[in-house]
């Protein structure tokens, strides 16, 4: 009996795709820009649910990332990240196209245990916010305390962002990441550009990472048993 | 222009510490040009130019001048702005820095404050406008209140909002800190430094133009340097620390739960009418800081209390401390001959400064029998005449009332509230008074804490209710500690301990060294007795802003108002933007005396946010214009925009409502025409709807099926993999809360859909039951609403079109109604659900949202020959209503059971688990046969489209109020039926099929309709099974 | 604006991240069909409205999405403790009236 149905949602690389912010024009950085905003579109995002004891070893062996067990903890790998969202929920972000393979391997490693893995790649996008005034832009946007004394590198939270929500995480001293829902992405971007205006803000699309869709045959579908 | 700045005194030691005489600034007031200096407030500049009358009073239209030097100013409230768009009402001239080109007008007074037409009414009407005048005069008829209110407002002149859009931008900043220090006088500065030195995150704010508070113009020395220098040194040290945020021109306006404080920072108000661009970029004019502090140090100081004596509102009556401030800060001596009336030592400084600035001190009336203390001795040594045991009982003026011309002084018997002996009249143009000091407890009161009276300081201090507000520390004068040395010691001793409890370790801080002056004891005098009884004496004002007199408060107590809260409301004392800063204590003292009580027995009213007016821009921040509220877009949104769709707001989503086309005539279709065309396309050919906004929840786990059985009213045990089922959800009261189709993707895996508006609430609903009642069930829920783009292809040609694009076998036997399949559409991996909300053959295509557009465009690339037509939510509504499909929240209102909706087919009474809603459906009330039940209504007149919400009656001839038996929930024109039709709820409606009901409308027309089945089209459901 | 200690996120968060869900510790009758109309009505609709210590159910809606309990003084709005689903409060109206926990009741969550 099939227990869970999932498939590779990516078509052949010849099929065009659109990020949630495809319609927004880039804003080139000028001389005194203090904040740079980038969209890192088309990553694969997997939502993992389960007890830590169930997930930890399988996740580490498949992704190479240690499952963060402390609240608000996020670990970064090479193009990957794994974030604590709740005591039984994590967000795994990997290069585009790798999600399906990882899900398959995770499911194999987890066997009959009770867990859930859900592909949410189409539903959210990753932004980065970089520069000396990035923190000022965040202070205008979220009720969460983003002061470095309270928000060290490697921390990540879900909080209120303007009148929407976002995942906010700190990658290094001057670089932050936001994960926003697709339908709110336009609003969040406009908000950020407006908040950053006084400091000078640029908006760019991140150079597309290697398209891992090449690796997997298009339209491959699979059911685990 | 009159004599240039005739009241500005020449430079001298301790005079004009804050002005720059090399930077003159031109400004206009009530259309007249003046000049001041950088460092002036608008108030000090007006005083420098001899402008005595700055306003007319609220009720009596009396001439009024500047009284105070800070936020407590009751009279000099102006309308600012050189252009219509930059009009700002309710600006205190005492808090407004002067800038080049500043343009201000009196708030009250028409046509202007000097020549006030309303004063005629005031002077004639005054005696006839007793306390409670508005309530007594305008209370009836109630219908006239709107007219009265307009008249009163025009006369009262409460300022006006600009009629043009604001050219400026505003924003909010969220801040968190260990210690928020409100007020930067010596105690605030010391507290901030004490906390900051140990690395704690500190915010120091002050509402004034610069830091320092009372130390800005003090002639004391601190740590061996003059107080203003000490301030500069401390501020410099704080500014150098990266754990300290300094906010000047920033008023703490509201103090909310758990040490949440809103700070209103005026960032460019001191520079111009409108914020200038910096580096080609806009900057916020005001900023609201939303501060969450672990500790709040309230160092807001004290406001000097004026004495209440006759004629105390005539221009030239000033607060003693304000006189000193103007002389020392701005070198403005606002008169020639001063009489000081005081109850304490501190006010003597006004007389000493007046003399130092070249003015004549006529006399000091000291209410104390034996004034003594260092300041008193200085005054004596300077040759000033001190009249002990006396007070100014009346300030006199000429007919116009534009300036004080004398003071009547008499010995007063405070305990007996009468004058004692003869009255001496002194010629003067200025009366300064001081009745002591009131700690500024407003912010503390915002937390719900009532102030408590302290006899030793003759003032209210922040009190406690049940338990102390944790992390709240009033210090210095705000706490009633007027000795600076004692205030410093208290901070040095207690602040580290308080913070240590929160894990913030402070190194000990030595209190600043200071010389202390011997102070004589103050005496409690509030309302100065007059030779006539209060009711017959010239007006003695308690609250200048709201024109409340001592007589009014006496009258209120005579009329039976005993609670101070009632006295406040009856007299309007402390109302509005004033919030009782100057007058409240005096008013309470008068009420207490009249009621034969002490002040603590009388109590105090509370103060509410905001402490001073906040402009709307700062409150709104950047939540305006296109950022007012989030607009949620689907992956196909840009396409809809390019197609010229009209949009409908569904929650925060923007959904295409209909797609008006250009007609042959060149005109755009009306909504009615577009919807009729879209409806026909779906019924006759094929249409496509962007259904991406439907809530989608991924459910995984071995107990997923069991969970669905408990949460839905219908059964899920037998739903096979590959199949979908419509489900109805109730609350445990048995009322329908949501519906949608849920699909069995695999044995442990379901996809639930919810209504667009219910998505977030339903996810929370599933979680609350799982987390609080059934944690043993192994199941997880994850929102995938945004992950999937959903396109509903519907109509007789749907299969033919889709078959061109997919590898899935669409044969009716291979892919049955209420099943789902996986495959590709236009090369994109997809799940297709054969479900229908239109009653037509339908395929709901779901793809990962990043790939939605190629699929959507492929449909149109192949759709022409099938007549593919995009349709919007209006057409969706018409089509589903023709089929009698409900929309939860439109056809239901939280009081409809499944059976009320005629959906008993969707209720599994025999399911083993007592699912949510089951028990309530067996209550007698939910079994009643006369409950409102969903039916169809067919208007007898085919052209009529009933109004949604219209009430239904059985007998149109009955008297009003008619007995209403239901209402219309959905109503449309059906192009398919060529008839108006409606869904409605009617009492006992299921048994009324064929009966006539009536819908009387507000315009007198009564529509007639027949009760019919709620399914108007294809009752057997054959078309969706094609 | 409350500042609420989420026992799952183990830190204070702003009120905007939370939804209040009414009185805590309202258990659904285990056998609803055997429950009288009155008892069912009590379960559905009747709630305490104390002046003083009250136990409430909240959810960290914009956060970890976990439900938890809050003990709050309705007079001062002080939150006396927060605790997870399935746990019992350590601060109650009784404990406060007998003074055992009241003296230490502060604006903190249960961090033990
Ligand atoms: Zn949490």
């Amino acid at each position: 009996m099939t227990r869970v149905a999932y498939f590779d949602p990516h078509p052949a690389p010849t099929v065009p795709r659109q990020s949630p912010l495809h319609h927004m024009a880039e804003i080139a950085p000028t001389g005194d820009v203090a904040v740079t905003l980038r969209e890192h579109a088309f990553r694969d995002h997997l939502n993992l649910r389960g007890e830590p004891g169930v997930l930890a070893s399988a996740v580490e062996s498949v992704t190479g990332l240690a499952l963060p067990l402390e609240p608000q903890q996020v670990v970064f790998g090479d193009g990957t990240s794994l974030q604590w969202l709740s005591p039984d929920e994590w967000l795994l972000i990997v290069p585009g196209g790798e999600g399906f393979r990882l899900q398959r391997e995770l499911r194999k490693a987890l066997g009959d245990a009770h867990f859930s893995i859900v592909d949410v790649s189409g539903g959210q996008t990753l932004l980065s916010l970089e520069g000396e005034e990035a923190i000022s832009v965040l202070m205008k946007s979220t009720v969460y305390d983003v002061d470095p004394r309270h928000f060290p590198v490697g921390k990540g939270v879900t909080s209120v962002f303007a009148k929407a929500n976002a995942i906010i995480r700190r990658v290094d001293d001057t670089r932050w990441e936001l994960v926003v829902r697709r339908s709110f992405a336009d609003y969040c971007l406009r908000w950020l550009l407006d908040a950053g205006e006084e400091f000078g803000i640029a908006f760019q699309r991140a150079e597309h990472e290697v398209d891992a869709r090449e690796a997997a045959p298009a339209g491959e579908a699979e059911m685990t048993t | 222009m009159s004599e240039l700045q005739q009241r500005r005194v020449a430079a001298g030691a301790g005079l004009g510490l804050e002005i720059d005489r090399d930077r003159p600034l031109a400004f206009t007031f009530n259309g007249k040009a003046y000049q001041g200096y950088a460092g002036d407030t608008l108030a000090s500049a007006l005083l420098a130019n001899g402008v005595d009358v700055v306003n007319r009073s609220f009720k009596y239209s009396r001439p009024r001048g500047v009284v105070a030097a800070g936020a407590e100013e009751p009279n000099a409230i102006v309308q600012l702005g050189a252009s219509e768009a930059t009009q700002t009402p309710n600006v205190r001239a005492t808090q407004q820095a002067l800038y080049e080109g500043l343009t201000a007008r009196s708030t009250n007074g028409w046509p202007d404050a000097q020549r006030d037409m309303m004063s005629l009414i005031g002077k004639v009407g005054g005696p006839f406008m007793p306390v409670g005048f508005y309530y007594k005069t305008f209370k009836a008829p109630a219908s006239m209140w709107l007219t009265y209110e307009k008249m009163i407002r025009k006369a009262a002149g409460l300022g006006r909002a600009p009629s043009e859009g604001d050219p400026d931008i505003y924003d909010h900043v969220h801040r968190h800190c260990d210690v928020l220090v409100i007020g930067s006088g010596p105690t605030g500065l010391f507290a901030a430094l004490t906390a900051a030195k140990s690395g704690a995150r500190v915010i120091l704010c002050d509402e004034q133009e610069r830091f320092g508070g009372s130390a800005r113009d003090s002639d004391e020395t601190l740590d061996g340097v003059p107080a203003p220098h000490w301030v500069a040194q401390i501020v410099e040290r704080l500014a150098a620390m990266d754990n300290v945020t300094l906010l000047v021109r920033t008023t703490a306006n509201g103090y909310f739960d758990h040490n949440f404080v809103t700070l209103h920072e005026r960032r460019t108000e001191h520079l111009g009418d409108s914020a200038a661009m910096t580096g080609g970029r806009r900057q916020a004019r005001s900023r609201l800081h939303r501060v969450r502090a672990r500790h709040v140090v309230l160092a807001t100081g004290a406001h000097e209390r004026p004495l209440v004596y006759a004629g105390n509102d005539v221009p030239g009556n000033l607060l003693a401390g304000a006189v000193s401030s103007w002389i020392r800060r701005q070198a403005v001596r606002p008169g020639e001959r001063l009489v000081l009336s005081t109850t304490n030592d501190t006010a003597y400084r006004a007389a000493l400064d007046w003399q130092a600035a070249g003015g004549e001190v006529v006399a000091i009336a000291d209410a104390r029998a034996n004034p003594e203390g260092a300041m008193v001795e200085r005054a004596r040594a300077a040759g000033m005449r001190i009249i002990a045991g006396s007070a100014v009982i009346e300030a006199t003026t000429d007919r116009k009332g534009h300036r004080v011309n004398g003071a009547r002084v008499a010995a007063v018997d405070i305990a007996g509230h009468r004058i004692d002996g003869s009255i001496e009249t002194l010629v003067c143009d200025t009366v300064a008074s001081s009745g002591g000091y009131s700690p500024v407890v407003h912010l503390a009161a915002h937390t719900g804490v009532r102030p408590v009276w302290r006899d030793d300081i003759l003032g209210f201090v922040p009190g406690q209710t049940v338990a102390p507000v944790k992390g709240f520390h009033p210090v210095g004068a705000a706490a009633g500690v007027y000795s600076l040395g004692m205030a410093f010691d208290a901070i040095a001793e207690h602040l580290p301990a308080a913070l240590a409890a929160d894990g913030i370790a402070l190194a000990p801080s030595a209190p600043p060294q200071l010389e202390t002056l011997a102070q004589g004891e103050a005496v409690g005098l509030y309302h100065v007795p007059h030779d006539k009884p209060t009711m017959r004496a010239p007006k003695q004002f308690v609250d200048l802003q709201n024109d409340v007199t001592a007589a009014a408060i006496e009258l209120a107590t005579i009329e039976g108002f005993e609670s101070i809260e009632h006295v406040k409301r009856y007299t309007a004392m402390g109302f509005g933007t004033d919030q009782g800063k100057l007058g409240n204590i005096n008013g309470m003292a008068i009420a207490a005396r009249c009621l034969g009580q002490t002040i603590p027995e009388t109590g105090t009213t509370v103060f509410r946010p905001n402490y001073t007016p906040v402009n709307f821009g700062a409150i709104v921040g950047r939540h305006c214009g296109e950022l007012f509220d989030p607009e949620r877009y689907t992956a196909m949104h840009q396409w809809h925009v390019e197609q010229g769709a009209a949009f409908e707001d569904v929650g925060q989503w923007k959904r295409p409502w209909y797609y008006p086309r250009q007609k042959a005539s060149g005109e755009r279709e009306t909504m009615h025409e577009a919807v009729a065309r879209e409806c026909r396309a779906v019924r006759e050919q094929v249409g496509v709807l962007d259904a991406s906004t439907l809530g989608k929840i991924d459910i995984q786990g071995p107990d997923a099926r069991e969970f669905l059985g408990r949460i839905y009213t219908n059964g899920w045990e037998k739903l096979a993999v590959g199949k979908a089922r419509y489900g109805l959800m109730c609350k445990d009261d048995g009322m329908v809360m949501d519906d949608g189709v849920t699909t069995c993707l695999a044995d442990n895996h379901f996809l639930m859909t919810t209504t667009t508006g219910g998505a977030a609430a339903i996810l929370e609903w599933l979680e609350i039951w799982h987390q609080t009642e059934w944690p043993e069930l192994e199941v997880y829920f994850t929102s995938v609403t945004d992950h999937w783009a959903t396109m509903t292809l519907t109509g007789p040609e749907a299969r033919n079109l889709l078959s061109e694009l997919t590898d899935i076998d669409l044969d009716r036997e291979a892919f049955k109604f209420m099943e789902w399949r996986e495959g590709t559409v236009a090369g994109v991996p997809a799940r297709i659900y054969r479900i229908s909300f239109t009653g037509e053959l339908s395929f709901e295509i779901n793809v990962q949202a990043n790939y939605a557009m190629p699929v959507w465009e492929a449909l149109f690339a192949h759709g022409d020959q099938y007549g593919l037509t995009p349709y919007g939510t209006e057409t969706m509504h018409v089509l589903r209503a023709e089929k009698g499909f409900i929309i939860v929240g439109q056809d239901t209102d939280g009081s409809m059971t499944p059976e009320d909706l005629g959906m008993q087919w969707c209720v599994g009474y025999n399911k083993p688990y007592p699912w949510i809603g089951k028990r309530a459906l067996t209550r007698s009330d939910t079994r009643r046969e006369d409950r409102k039940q969903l039916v169809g209504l067919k208007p007898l007149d085919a052209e009529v489209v009933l109004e949604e919400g219209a009430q239904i009656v059985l007998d149109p001839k009955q008297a009003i109020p008619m007995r209403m038996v239901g209402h219309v929930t959905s109503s449309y024109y059906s192009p398919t039926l060529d008839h108006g039709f409606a869904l409605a709820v009617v009492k006992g409606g299921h048994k009324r099929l064929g009966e006539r009901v009536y819908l009387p409308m507000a315009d007198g027309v009564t529509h007639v309709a027949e009760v019919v089945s709620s399914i108007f089209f294809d009752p057997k459901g054959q078309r969706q099974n094609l | 604006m409350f500042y609420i200690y989420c026992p799952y996120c183990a830190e204070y968060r702003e009120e905007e991240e939370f939804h209040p869900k009414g009185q805590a510790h309202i258990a659904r009758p285990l056998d609803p069909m055997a429950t009288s109309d009155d008892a069912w009505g009590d379960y559905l609709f009747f709630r305490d409205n104390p002046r003083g210590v009250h136990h409430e159910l909240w959810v960290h809606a914009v956060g970890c999405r976990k439900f938890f309990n809050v003990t709050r003084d309705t007079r001062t709005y002080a939150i006396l403790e927060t605790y997870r689903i399935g746990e019992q409060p350590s601060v109650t109206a009784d404990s406060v009236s007998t003074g055992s926990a009241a003296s230490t009741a502060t604006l903190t969550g249960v961090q033990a």
Side-chain angles (χ1 to χ4, degrees), chain C residues 16 75 88:
Chain C
E16 285 148 278
R75 297 167 298 180
Q88 291 302 311

Side-chain angles (χ1 to χ4, degrees), chain B residues 770-781:
Chain B
H770 184 222
Q771 290 181 35
T772 68
E773 287 286 343
W774 310 320
E776 71 281 4
L777 294 187
E778 293 194 327
V779 60
Y780 288 116
F781 314 98

Side-chain angles (χ1 to χ4, degrees), chain B residues 704-916:
Chain B
R705 188 182 292 274
E706 169 67 19
F707 189 92
L708 290 174
R710 296 183 183 191
I711 212 86
Y712 275 127
T713 61
N714 46 333
W716 296 83
E717 322 76 274
K718 297 195 184 85
L719 184 69
V721 174
K723 298 216 177 278
R725 178 168 290 173
Y726 174 82
L728 206 51
M729 243 181 246
C730 284
K731 292 196 174 175
D732 228 348
D733 62 3
M735 305 303 155
V736 170
M737 71 174 293
D738 206 68
D739 68 347
V741 170
T742 289
T743 305
C744 184
L745 295 172
D747 206 51
N748 290 356
H749 194 184
F750 292 80
L751 182 78
M752 174 185 282
T753 62
T754 74
T755 54
T756 295
I762 295 302
L763 182 60
E764 194 171 290
W765 178 250
L766 304 182
E767 289 285 0
I768 194 172
W769 285 101
H770 184 222
Q771 290 181 35
T772 68
E773 287 286 343
W774 310 320
E776 71 281 4
L777 294 187
E778 293 194 327
V779 60
Y780 288 116
F781 314 98
T782 306
S783 171
V784 287
T785 301
D786 286 30
H787 174 73
W788 297 102
T790 304
M791 310 159 205
T792 302
L793 200 61
T794 180
E797 297 284 4
R799 178 179 287 121
N800 294 333
L801 169 54
L802 185 55
S803 66
E804 293 193 20
L805 292 164
T806 184
D807 56 0
I808 298 170
D809 182 355
L810 301 180
D811 182 84
R812 60 170 295 179
E813 292 307 318
F815 186 1
K816 293 191 177 119
F817 183 54
M818 297 307 277
E819 291 184 344
W820 70 277
R821 293 290 180 271
E822 197 167 278
T824 62
V825 177
V828 176
R831 281 186 184 144
I832 300 181
Y833 303 84
R834 236 198 104 179
I835 55 180
S836 176
F837 197 44
T838 61
E840 300 297 331
L841 172 68
S842 298
F843 298 92
E844 199 179 80
I845 305 161
N846 283 262
V847 296
Q848 206 256 41
N850 290 336
Y851 303 110
M853 274 316 293
V855 175
W856 184 263
E857 282 174 337
L859 290 174
F860 283 93
H862 291 76
D864 263 2
Q865 59 171 311
Y866 305 106
L868 178 66
T869 301
Y871 69 95
T873 52
E874 188 66 16
T875 293
M876 175 191 83
H877 277 247
V878 175
L879 298 174
R880 66 89 200 174
E882 287 172 351
K883 287 292 298 173
F885 294 150
I886 60 159
I887 289 195
V888 173
Q890 175 160 345
D891 301 300
T892 72
D893 61 2
S895 71
M896 303 289 290
T897 68
E899 299 191 16
D900 294 340
L901 297 165
M903 296 171 78
Q904 44 272 32
W905 53 268
C906 201
V907 182
Y909 282 111
N910 297 323
K911 287 197 287 179
Y913 191 87
W915 40 270
I916 304 303

